[in-house]
Amino acid sequence: MKNFIILILLLSIGLCLTSCGPMWVETPGKEYNLVVNSGGQTLGYAPQSGVKILTIDRFAFKDLNKNDVLDIYEDWRLPADQRAEDLATKMSIDQIAGLMLYSGHQRIPGGGFGPGDTYGGKPFAESGAQSSDLSDQQVTFLTEDNLRHVLFIGVESPEVAAQWNNNAQALVEGLGLGIPSNNSSDPRHQADNDEEYTLGAGGDISKWPPAIGLAASFDPDLVRKFGEIASKEYRALGITTALSPQVDLATDPRWYRFSGTFGPSPELSTDMGRAYVDGFQTSAGDKLITTGWGYESVNAMVKHWPGGGTGEGGRDAHYGFGKFAVFPGKNLETHLKPFVEGAFNLDGGTGKAAAVMPYYTISTNQDPDGENVGNAFSHYFITKLLRNKYQYDGVVCTDWGVTRADRGMATFGSTPWGVESLTEAERHYKVIMAGCDQFGGNNDSGPVIEAYEMGVLDLGEEVMRKRMEQSAVRLLKNIFRVGLFENPYLDVQETNAIVGNAEFMKAGYDAQLKSVILLKNKNTVLPISEDKVVFMPKRFVPAAQNFFGAPIPERWEDPISAEQASKYFKTSENPDDADIAIVVINNPENGRTAGYSAEKAKSGDNGFLPISLQYGKYKATEARDPSLAGDNRENDVLNRTYKNKVVTANNYSDLEMVLKTVQQMKGKPVIVVLRTGNPAIVAEFEKEIDGLLVNFGVQNQAILDIISGDTEPSGLLPFQLPADMRTVEMQMEDVPFDMEYYKDSEGNGYNFGFGLNWSGVIQDERNQKYRVK
């Protein structure tokens, strides 16, 4: 009997060890340890952070605040909303203020703009630091300012990005409540024209057309595919928020940021925006956590509420001369459609875009209460419209630099439009009370804390604490839902295997091919057979400035290298020996500060100029006078008219090159490849040429594949090409498709949805579905 009892006890102990023991296994690593829960979430933590593993109900959990208790926010079994609400109550105001910051643009390595950050007090080149090390300034804003949202602008390599992420996550995991860093990026998949695609080869990241090029496919499924691939690559780089898509309706053809949109069509932009967000945010299979969110999800920050494409005269609100959006057609409601019916009405389980970014613009005279301030400062646009009417409760993050002091009409990076007279802290307070949650481009928590203190004086501590926690919950949900609290770390070998792999590179290249549009093919001059001899003139590139103001010196370029072209046909530098010419040009360029001249303003002029879509001299005889919007403050301009002023495109030399080549070819065919981001007026040269292709920034190889006949063109115009500048001036900034479109020598109209293939005008379900009504 005694032996029988002992046997029963031994069996019971064995069963308990089998069924009652921990259901997790830990694997130590060089940078971080992995803890695999059987039937639960996999955890990653850095031992040097001081975080320990708790075993509760046989599962492993991270003790992020190191109190030896499983707090609600640490329990991965609970919904993200519940966890976020618990954590927000535990955060100090200093910690919430830091969470509400979004860093300025960061280079990895190098840090912020200008001379760059320091590493151990020295410039990076002199420091001996690794490329993946955190700079002194990055350590400061992560530790002292409690910042947890970092914007990448450039990374040395995928491997460096992954290692930097691991270093940053190990640092913040050991601080306070252990809140991970939610890293982000502006769009980074743009193809370079001189890159070459090789079937089966990988690259640094897959290369795709920009948004306007994706729109030329008229295919939302292609955009969803892009989102699915890009999100996988982003996650492998440590990026969990995309500052995209840009669903502004580009209803003014002159707008500087036209190429980042899906064009002026409300229907096409709505479908493309929905597909984009679904692709980025949706996880599936073993990567799924819940309701569509998971370890391949990237939060999409849709922009720019309520639409930034209606700047008066086509001017852009990065500068004071472009701060006013106007609505002469009373068409604001249409501009909301891509948000309300697209990004907030997803097909996938995540439901809505995780975040929204308002644009810099003052949406002139659209607030019924009469306030004219930048959208992020507007209680009407953020709370009454976005939050209340359209029931959006996700994160709202300002565009970069809106709380900085005004530094002049043509200065980049400071955009406090409509609230120029407020202090920096007062601007932060106004943003918070308008209903926003986050400050783009701000590394310093001081003004946010000062804004909180203003609110305490105005509303009382309880009310203001509740308002700050409300933003904290929204921000934390976006970190919980993508799994960062469980495992923010990356396997560098996996990163190298995922980013730019052969499958993704092919998908991107195929999308490039689908974005190219054939507009003219007189006498079926295209495709070009391999026995033909082709002349390709060099192109002069005038001096310019990039988006951020850095100078670009003038130079001569081979738009398509002879070596690359020789793989498709014969080439010659002598037009007399050629059978056909290919001329590559850019759309008419007005410069970084398009629509304004600081030099003219100094001479007593109001400084405002036309933005021209033609190459040759243009006099704005049809421009409105007075302007619809202006600023009567001293040192600003109330009447911003440019009537009767004259401009010529910076790259007028492109038109000269086309016409010169026509003369040199002496009646032999000339093909123009127009690289563009905006609608352009082609009337100055179209009748002189035989073929015209439009591309939006793709690899030259894609152009050659089409010109040579290896691929048939299938792209459709995602906008109208205007007949002339008169119709551009007469159109209303907020109304789509209200221009007279150009008709070419073959009788074809360059309207929205037009394109040719080798058989002629494309007529299919795409341009039937999205035709201009």
Side-chain angles (χ1 to χ4, degrees):
M1 185 67 181
K2 182 178 179 181
N3 289 339
F4 177 74
I5 293 172
I6 292 172
L7 178 62
I8 294 298
L9 287 171
L10 289 174
L11 288 172
S12 299
I13 293 170
L15 286 169
C16 186
L17 290 172
T18 303
S19 62
C20 303
M23 293 180 63
W24 55 270
V25 176
E26 181 168 355
T27 305
K30 183 178 179 182
E31 295 179 324
Y32 60 94
N33 292 0
L34 274 182
V35 178
V36 178
N37 280 298
S38 177
Q41 298 299 320
T42 295
L43 313 179
Y45 76 100
Q48 67 269 28
S49 71
V51 167
K52 297 179 181 178
I53 297 298
L54 301 174
T55 302
I56 307 293
D57 299 332
R58 301 167 60 214
F59 288 115
F61 301 86
K62 292 162 71 171
D63 185 16
L64 290 165
N65 61 0
K66 309 174 188 66
N67 66 350
D68 297 321
V69 174
L70 179 63
D71 294 286
I72 290 173
Y73 86 92
E74 296 167 333
D75 190 342
W76 45 258
R77 298 170 298 184
L78 298 175
D81 291 18
Q82 186 177 350
R83 299 175 71 187
E85 289 166 3
D86 176 67
L87 179 52
T89 64
K90 291 176 167 58
M91 296 176 71
S92 69
I93 290 300
D94 286 5
Q95 289 169 327
I96 294 176
L99 190 67
M100 295 172 76
L101 303 177
Y102 223 125
S103 82
H105 298 74
Q106 300 294 308
R107 298 165 294 176
I108 311 297
F113 283 149
D117 289 1
T118 56
Y119 294 74
K122 298 179 180 179
F124 175 74
E126 302 172 12
S127 67
Q130 299 295 314
S131 296
S132 56
D133 288 346
L134 275 65
S135 72
D136 300 335
Q137 290 76 12
Q138 289 165 350
V139 170
T140 296
F141 65 57
L142 290 170
T143 57
E144 297 180 15
D145 291 289
N146 297 295
L147 184 148
R148 291 296 180 272
H149 295 79
V150 181
L151 172 59
F152 292 172
I153 189 174
V155 294
E156 182 179 289
S157 68
E159 180 178 352
V160 166
Q163 290 173 333
W164 185 95
N165 171 79
N166 290 350
N167 291 336
Q169 300 294 5
L171 172 64
V172 299
E173 187 175 70
L175 301 175
L177 297 162
I179 299 172
S181 178
N182 181 356
N183 304 323
S184 71
S185 176
D186 280 311
R188 60 189 316 110
H189 284 81
Q190 174 65 51
D192 294 322
N193 60 26
D194 58 353
E195 290 181 311
E196 195 157 356
Y197 168 72
T198 303
L199 182 64
D204 59 345
I205 199 166
S206 61
K207 303 296 184 181
W208 298 72
I212 196 65
L214 291 170
S217 73
F218 279 52
D219 184 1
D221 288 339
L222 177 65
V223 175
R224 184 178 294 104
K225 181 68 173 178
F226 163 69
E228 291 168 354
I229 289 174
S231 66
K232 291 179 176 68
E233 292 185 309
Y234 273 23
R235 290 303 300 261
L237 294 168
I239 295 168
T240 44
T241 293
L243 302 189
S244 56
Q246 187 181 335
V247 299
D248 313 77
L249 290 184
T251 46
D252 192 292
R254 298 165 289 189
W255 188 30
Y256 189 82
R257 302 191 70 179
F258 195 107
S259 66
T261 75
F262 296 115
S265 167
E267 293 76 22
L268 182 60
S269 295
T270 296
D271 288 352
M272 292 297 200
R274 183 189 303 111
Y276 190 109
V277 177
D278 265 330
F280 266 89
Q281 291 191 171
T282 305
S283 291
D286 62 355
K287 301 297 183 181
L288 177 67
I289 297 175
T290 185
T291 62
W293 292 103
Y295 292 102
E296 287 181 344
S297 297
V298 171
N299 297 292
M301 185 179 291
V302 62
K303 56 189 186 183
H304 302 89
W305 179 262
T310 69
E312 184 164 18
R315 297 184 293 271
D316 182 66
H318 276 87
Y319 303 93
F321 59 77
K323 63 185 174 183
F324 293 107
V326 294
F327 297 85
K330 298 179 174 55
N331 206 32
L332 172 64
E333 198 74 21
T334 300
H335 287 259
L336 305 183
K337 184 174 181 176
F339 296 92
V340 177
E341 298 181 22
F344 302 164
N345 184 33
L346 303 181
D347 294 328
T350 63
K352 295 182 180 181
V356 171
M357 182 188 294
Y359 204 39
Y360 299 113
T361 45
I362 297 170
S363 297
T364 309
N365 297 334
Q366 300 304 299
D367 180 350
D369 295 328
E371 185 179 44
N372 282 309
V373 294
N375 295 310
F377 301 101
S378 171
H379 187 265
Y380 171 73
F381 276 106
I382 305 303
T383 292
K384 290 187 178 180
L385 209 57
L386 180 60
R387 298 284 192 203
N388 295 347
K389 181 175 180 178
Y390 295 113
Q391 296 295 295
Y392 183 78
D393 194 40
V395 168
V396 178
C397 176
T398 76
D399 213 329
W400 265 231
V402 302
T403 56
R404 298 172 191 156
D406 182 16
R407 294 187 294 141
M409 190 77 82
T411 302
F412 181 85
S414 299
T415 53
W417 309 143
V419 294
E420 292 91 343
S421 63
L422 299 183
T423 67
E424 184 178 20
E426 287 170 340
R427 293 188 200 108
H428 282 76
Y429 183 42
K430 189 167 179 62
V431 165
I432 292 170
M433 300 318 293
C436 296
D437 306 299
Q438 199 164 27
F439 301 92
N442 184 1
N443 300 351
D444 180 7
S445 63
V448 186
I449 296 169
E450 193 175 345
Y452 165 76
E453 292 167 349
M454 290 177 180
V456 171
L457 290 175
D458 285 350
L459 306 170
E461 185 174 0
E462 182 179 352
V463 172
M464 199 58 196
R465 168 80 200 191
K466 183 178 179 181
R467 172 65 191 90
M468 297 289 278
E469 284 189 20
Q470 183 182 44
S471 285
V473 169
R474 291 171 181 150
L475 291 159
L476 290 167
K477 283 195 291 187
N478 287 356
I479 305 177
F480 278 112
R481 290 188 297 207
V482 297
L484 285 176
F485 275 89
E486 278 58 70
N487 183 19
Y489 297 98
L490 300 171
D491 182 320
V492 174
Q493 289 185 331
E494 285 187 11
T495 292
N496 287 332
I498 291 170
V499 180
N501 68 46
E503 177 190 350
F504 294 172
M505 295 296 288
K506 183 179 187 306
Y509 186 73
D510 288 346
Q512 292 182 51
L513 292 170
K514 292 177 180 178
S515 74
V516 178
I517 306 164
L518 176 63
L519 292 182
K520 186 175 184 179
N521 193 16
K522 184 178 179 181
N523 298 324
T524 59
V525 65
L526 294 173
I528 300 174
S529 59
E530 61 182 358
D531 62 332
K532 297 293 185 183
V533 179
V534 176
F535 168 63
M536 296 179 295
K538 291 182 179 293
R539 177 176 178 265
F540 175 68
V541 182
Q545 291 179 315
N546 71 9
F547 186 76
F548 299 104
I552 303 172
E554 67 177 48
R555 67 187 191 280
W556 286 89
E557 69 172 9
D558 290 310
I560 300 176
S561 73
E563 179 184 0
Q564 191 175 29
S566 66
K567 298 175 182 177
Y568 295 84
F569 33 67
K570 300 173 184 177
T571 64
S572 174
E573 296 183 359
N574 186 348
D576 292 334
D577 297 335
D579 300 306
I580 192 167
I582 297 175
V583 185
V584 181
I585 62 174
N586 286 6
N587 62 277
E589 297 168 346
N590 291 267
R592 182 176 64 98
T593 58
Y596 185 78
S597 168
E599 291 300 316
K600 288 186 178 294
K602 291 177 183 177
S603 64
D605 187 277
N606 73 357
F608 286 82
L609 295 170
I611 298 175
S612 179
L613 300 182
Q614 68 183 41
Y615 295 92
K617 184 182 293 186
Y618 167 60
K619 184 175 182 179
T621 57
E622 306 291 339
R624 67 169 65 101
D625 185 11
S627 60
L628 293 177
D631 192 331
N632 61 7
R633 294 178 307 121
E634 189 177 355
N635 299 322
D636 213 305
V637 178
L638 180 60
N639 185 4
R640 299 177 165 215
T641 185
Y642 50 85
K643 188 177 179 68
N644 292 322
K645 293 186 180 179
V646 178
V647 293
T648 302
N650 292 354
N651 59 329
Y652 176 68
S653 52
D654 277 355
L655 175 62
E656 292 180 313
M657 177 175 61
V658 172
L659 299 179
K660 180 181 178 181
T661 303
V662 169
Q663 291 181 338
Q664 290 175 315
M665 291 301 290
K666 300 172 184 175
K668 293 180 287 187
V670 175
I671 309 300
V672 168
V673 176
L674 174 62
R675 301 185 298 204
T676 189
N678 289 75
I681 293 170
V682 299
E684 294 166 294
F685 63 83
E686 178 275 323
K687 289 180 173 58
E688 307 298 325
I689 65 172
D690 303 273
L692 177 60
L693 292 102
V694 172
N695 91 80
F696 301 102
V698 300
Q699 294 166 244
N700 286 333
Q701 185 176 352
I703 299 297
L704 292 169
D705 276 350
I706 288 175
I707 286 177
S708 66
D710 286 357
T711 300
E712 186 169 19
S714 63
L716 303 172
L717 274 176
F719 47 68
Q720 296 174 314
L721 290 189
D724 50 39
M725 277 304 298
R726 181 183 183 280
T727 193
V728 173
E729 294 290 2
M730 299 304 292
Q731 59 92 34
M732 291 183 282
E733 286 91 338
D734 61 326
V735 177
F737 308 129
D738 60 341
M739 295 188 296
E740 178 188 352
Y741 55 84
Y742 182 73
K743 296 180 178 63
D744 72 10
S745 63
E746 304 303 290
N748 290 317
Y750 294 173
N751 198 6
F752 174 79
F754 174 77
L756 301 172
N757 56 25
W758 301 143
S759 301
V761 177
I762 298 172
Q763 294 287 352
D764 59 25
E765 67 280 358
R766 296 175 300 156
N767 47 21
Q768 290 301 308
K769 179 178 180 181
Y770 295 109
R771 67 185 184 276
V772 178
K773 297 180 176 64

